[in-house]
Amino acid sequence: MRVEKGLLYTKDHDWVKVEGNVVTVGLADYAQDHLGDIVYVELPEVDDEVEAGDSLASVESVKAASDINAPVSGKVIEVNELLDDEPGEINKDCYAAWVCKIEMSNPAELEELTNDADYEASL
């Protein structure tokens, strides 16, 4: 499994890239590999208010469906609309095919996430 350096990870195998007060969220390689061929992504809406741990998006594959939970609380400010037409982009390069961006309301919640080295060791 590929673990991208410099990112944070959730216990549910999602990745989080922090840029100032904005986080970009996507599905980690471990998750996309275990799901198999992804055929549908339900994206959140721009301006949705989310709480850490709430369902943010869902991903369906030929094997199963899985929720992506919000890693932090805040407001969705952008979604990757490419995934509406090309959900399989997550299988091609899960670290390039991000799902959404959230403007954080509580950056302290980042402390609940795992750094890349600890995440890799947990796999």
Side-chain angles (χ1 to χ4, degrees):
M1 296 297 119
R2 190 172 120 222
V3 175
E4 194 81 8
K5 302 297 180 203
L7 300 177
L8 297 173
Y9 292 85
T10 69
K11 62 179 173 35
D12 297 321
H13 306 287
D14 303 318
W15 59 262
V16 178
K17 181 178 182 181
V18 181
E19 296 173 293
N21 199 41
V22 174
V23 297
T24 303
V25 181
L27 209 59
D29 193 35
Y30 179 91
Q32 73 78 25
D33 183 63
H34 279 73
L35 281 170
D37 293 335
I38 294 172
V39 296
Y40 177 73
V41 178
E42 182 179 335
L43 298 168
E45 296 290 326
V46 171
D47 292 331
D48 278 358
E49 294 286 337
V50 296
E51 294 291 323
D54 287 354
S55 180
L56 178 64
S58 62
V59 178
E60 293 180 18
S61 73
V62 293
K63 291 185 194 177
S66 180
D67 283 337
I68 297 174
N69 295 322
V72 294
S73 301
K75 181 170 77 170
V76 176
I77 58 170
E78 189 176 350
V79 297
N80 187 353
E81 293 178 2
L82 170 68
L83 298 179
D84 280 335
D85 297 323
E86 300 290 338
E89 289 297 310
I90 293 173
N91 295 120
K92 290 179 187 172
D93 185 352
C94 62
Y95 294 108
W98 54 277
V99 173
C100 70
K101 297 184 180 190
I102 300 171
E103 185 175 38
M104 293 184 284
S105 59
N106 184 3
E109 292 171 335
L110 292 172
E111 294 173 18
E112 299 300 314
L113 305 178
T114 304
N115 66 41
D116 54 40
D118 289 345
Y119 177 71
E120 191 167 25
S122 75
L123 297 176

